[in-house]
Amino acid sequence: MTMTSDFRHASRPEEPALSVRQVLTLERVLAGEPEVVAGADGLDRAVRWVHVAEAADVGVMLTGGEMVLTTGVLLAGDEAKQAAYIQSLHRAEAAAVVLGLGRAFPTPPEVMRRAAERCGLPLVVLHRPFPFAELTEEVQSRLVRAKFAAVSLSESVRTSLTALITSGAPLQRLLDEVAQHSGCPVVLTNLAHRVLATAGERPAVDDVLRDWERIARQAGGSEGDGWVRAELGGRGECWGRLLLCGYRGHSATGRLLADRAAEALVLHRMLGGASGRTWEEQSAHGLLTDLASGTVPARHLLPRARAAGLPVNRRTFVPLVVPGAEPELLDRVLRTLGLTGLVAELADGASAVLLSLARDQDAEALTGRLAARLRTPELPDAVVAAADPRTCWDDVPAGLREARHVADAVAGAALDRPAVVRLRDVHLRGLIRLLRDDPQVQSFAERELDGLLCGGEGELLDVLRTYLATGRNKSRTAQLHHVSRPALYRRLEAIQARLGIDLDDFEQAASVHIALLAHDAQQG
């Protein structure tokens, strides 16, 4: 299992560092009256270490990133050595050179200044006598503390994320933990830049997602301005990316944090996560759940939907719920039909679908084609519960709730259902489903069906259900229950005797039918 940062760095390992600019603002350095006389554009270079050196060939002793301190005593009076000294530091990728004036040079040497300017190496002179030991001690101690803090943070993050994984925490909980440590928005994407999950303060996350298309393109380039990315992969392939968006700490610490988070996310995925769903499925599920619940205003979820790859501008949205269908099957059907949408599994074995269609596409016809494709030998009675199309994103939550209600209403009504069912098709059954939690409706159902419920007459209850659902068609009921007509008559007589009703009386039959619908709604 391997995780790699996607950004390209120098061959040496990245360590916590101060910039040249930061070093020059230290109180001890300011006492020496520093002046930048060349290479001012390189003041943001990282200083990994401070090295005191007088030798002209000091470059051979450096590994890169050092701030070199010198009095220039071995360079005085030899302009060739002065130029060679600067060139040696440049080749060794030194961060800067600090020259103490007074002992060898009363003023900044022009040869060194011109050479440093040509190669972009910051040349700083100190106008007042300054003990180099103080500067070395100050910078080294700060670097050591920074390195210790980075290692401590790394272990803290690793420990907390490992504990979450072993406790079976979901993906979102891991990302929340990363966001807490990083103090910035965290975004998880697949390789197509589709946002799978986010974490962090909601306003900051929304700002990132609102401009996600631009950010996603730039994320493939170099690191900068606190944007840190780590690739997620294992077994020779990469399948995701983690981004810290606007990390304000040191870049090396940010990369360390991103790497620890990447390791944990790879492990979480390989172990199957807490829910068993793929990250893509969890992303769609979270978005559709938030939309349907109404707890988050739809307009606040728009950037998230756009970043998840759902087209949202000038579109027609068709909310659907398909009982008994696996998300994988629905995904395959959508791809086959060339349709764009989000698919998520619901808690009761149904799946929700939010189609995003161009305004000139026929929503009703495409929904019908989707339903027809679903009716296979494995799902011969597949039904698509469809809400009316929405052209306004703010209306999508109501549409998802409508589709869920329609699916709920047709549950148990297995007789000759059309492939696509809408609100206008559920009639009385839909109303009863809406009222099923009303105590008076519950009391009514218990009272009307008491003779069958108390006796545990499940078979008679099934016969009654079929008889009423077929419009009191005795032949059809006998056929569906695989009994003879005389046997059915005996069962119907037993039902009427136990309930004390006459099923040939329309009002009494309707009353029992309503009670049975309410009872089934409670059971379902």
Side-chain angles (χ1 to χ4, degrees), residues 206-291:
D206 288 344
D207 285 343
V208 170
L209 296 185
R210 196 171 290 113
D211 199 20
W212 181 248
E213 290 185 7
R214 179 186 64 82
I215 290 173
R217 288 194 298 271
Q218 291 184 349
S222 299
E223 180 182 22
D225 296 327
W227 294 87
V228 185
R229 186 179 76 176
E231 288 198 354
L232 310 177
R235 298 172 182 171
E237 65 174 342
C238 174
W239 30 254
R241 297 184 178 98
L242 177 75
L243 284 92
L244 306 184
C245 306
Y247 179 71
R248 295 306 174 195
H250 193 274
S251 61
T253 305
R255 284 192 292 275
L256 192 62
L257 177 58
D259 286 342
R260 294 296 84 77
E263 291 173 3
L265 292 176
V266 168
L267 180 59
H268 183 272
R269 178 175 173 120
M270 287 185 171
L271 292 177
S275 65
R277 300 189 184 109
T278 66
W279 287 352
E280 289 79 1
E281 291 169 349
Q282 292 182 56
S283 173
H285 180 269
L287 179 56
L288 293 183
T289 299
D290 287 346
L291 276 170

Side-chain angles (χ1 to χ4, degrees), residues 258-514:
D259 286 342
R260 294 296 84 77
E263 291 173 3
L265 292 176
V266 168
L267 180 59
H268 183 272
R269 178 175 173 120
M270 287 185 171
L271 292 177
S275 65
R277 300 189 184 109
T278 66
W279 287 352
E280 289 79 1
E281 291 169 349
Q282 292 182 56
S283 173
H285 180 269
L287 179 56
L288 293 183
T289 299
D290 287 346
L291 276 170
S293 68
T295 55
V296 181
R299 64 181 179 277
H300 293 169
L301 296 171
L302 187 59
R304 188 170 149 197
R306 184 183 289 113
L310 186 74
V312 295
N313 295 330
R314 296 186 58 78
R315 306 289 288 187
T316 297
F317 303 102
V318 185
L320 310 171
V321 172
V322 187
E326 296 290 335
E328 293 80 4
L329 171 62
L330 289 166
D331 274 327
R332 286 199 302 272
V333 172
L334 290 185
R335 287 195 297 270
T336 300
L337 297 176
L339 299 177
T340 302
L342 297 178
V343 180
E345 185 177 14
L346 303 176
D348 55 2
S351 291
V353 181
L354 179 60
L355 295 179
S356 175
L357 307 177
R359 291 286 174 87
D360 59 353
Q361 289 183 286
D362 188 332
E364 188 166 347
L366 289 173
T367 303
R369 290 179 61 192
L370 171 64
R373 287 291 185 119
L374 289 175
R375 286 203 161 179
T376 61
E378 292 77 20
L379 286 173
D381 298 319
V383 171
V384 174
D388 291 333
R390 265 65 176 176
T391 56
C392 176
W393 176 258
D394 287 343
D395 295 334
V396 169
L400 286 168
R401 291 192 292 271
E402 178 182 314
R404 187 67 184 269
H405 166 62
V406 173
D408 198 25
V410 299
L415 299 174
D416 302 322
R417 294 181 299 184
V420 180
V421 182
R422 305 182 187 278
L423 188 61
R424 61 178 177 268
D425 300 319
V426 298
H427 306 299
L428 179 62
R429 183 181 296 272
L431 175 64
I432 295 300
R433 288 275 171 166
L434 286 176
L435 299 175
R436 63 184 172 184
D437 293 327
D438 187 296
Q440 295 187 48
V441 173
Q442 296 171 7
S443 177
F444 169 77
E446 292 292 320
R447 184 171 61 252
E448 290 290 302
L449 300 174
D450 182 65
L452 294 179
L453 297 178
C454 290
E457 298 290 350
E459 182 183 359
L460 293 181
L461 202 62
D462 288 341
V463 171
L464 175 62
R465 184 180 293 110
T466 305
Y467 180 63
L468 295 173
T470 58
R472 295 184 293 175
N473 186 322
K474 295 183 176 65
S475 298
R476 180 67 172 148
T477 302
Q479 179 184 12
L480 290 172
H481 283 271
H482 307 289
V483 297
S484 65
R485 289 284 293 268
L488 175 65
Y489 292 154
R490 288 194 294 271
R491 286 173 171 78
L492 292 177
E493 289 171 359
I495 291 170
Q496 293 179 105
R498 290 181 179 276
L499 298 181
I501 62 169
D502 180 2
L503 288 175
D504 290 329
D505 182 278
F506 176 78
E507 183 174 342
Q508 293 182 57
S511 181
V512 172
H513 193 188
I514 292 171

Side-chain angles (χ1 to χ4, degrees), residues 88-162:
S88 177
L89 295 179
H90 171 61
R91 287 192 296 271
E93 298 184 356
V97 58
V98 178
L99 174 65
L101 298 180
R103 187 173 178 185
F105 296 100
T107 61
E110 186 63 19
V111 172
M112 293 181 68
R113 190 197 67 78
R114 287 199 305 267
E117 191 66 42
R118 280 195 301 270
C119 63
L121 176 68
L123 172 60
V124 182
V125 297
L126 300 175
H127 288 279
R128 292 176 62 88
F130 183 85
F132 284 168
E134 291 187 10
L135 174 57
T136 302
E137 178 186 9
E138 177 76 9
V139 175
Q140 314 300 49
S141 64
R142 286 175 179 263
L143 292 176
V144 169
R145 288 199 300 270
K147 186 172 184 178
F148 177 78
V151 172
S152 178
L153 174 63
S154 173
E155 289 307 306
S156 175
V157 172
R158 190 198 302 271
T159 300
S160 61
L161 293 180
T162 301

